[in-house]
Amino acid sequence: MKSAMMKRNVATTMKASGNVPKATFVRKVAQTAGIAASTLALTLSANAAEVKLGTDSGGLQFVPSSVTIKKGDSVTWKNNAGFPHNVVFDEDECPSGVDVDKLSNEDYLNAPGETVTRTFNVAGEYNYYCEPHQGAGMAGKIIVQ
Ligand SMILES: [Cu+2]
């Protein structure tokens, strides 16, 4: 019970601290969760960013729409609202040599909470979109440093 509450607190704090520098952000989250910052930093350095498919209110957006990660990190997209969604990378909008067919998940995510995870091993900027909602502007960016 206690650990479920802690998780919720961490998630809330993470959502609210969009532009806070990482160190400050880690400290804040650690304070909120009541655990050592060093422990949390270690956890975060495994680095899996999460992007929600659809806003909590059902908006047709990736949340957050832009994510910055390091080479070797992965991104997990989680079905949230307004689905079906998918994740499609455009060859012209990714670093050259990247296999966009492998990176994309063209199958629709239909179930709530369904996830797709991809690992990024080539630095650069990746732009992607959701095919069913491309017309509504559902697009995102991954910056791999
Ligand atoms: Cu969509």
Side-chain angles (χ1 to χ4, degrees), residues 108-126:
Y108 290 169
L109 285 85
N110 281 305
E114 198 177 343
T115 60
V116 166
T117 299
R118 293 290 186 267
T119 302
F120 294 80
N121 294 311
V122 178
E125 200 175 293
Y126 299 66

Side-chain angles (χ1 to χ4, degrees), residues 60 62 82 84-86 130-133 138:
L60 301 174
F62 293 100
H85 298 295
N86 68 359
C130 165
E131 221 163 16
H133 303 127
M138 186 169 175

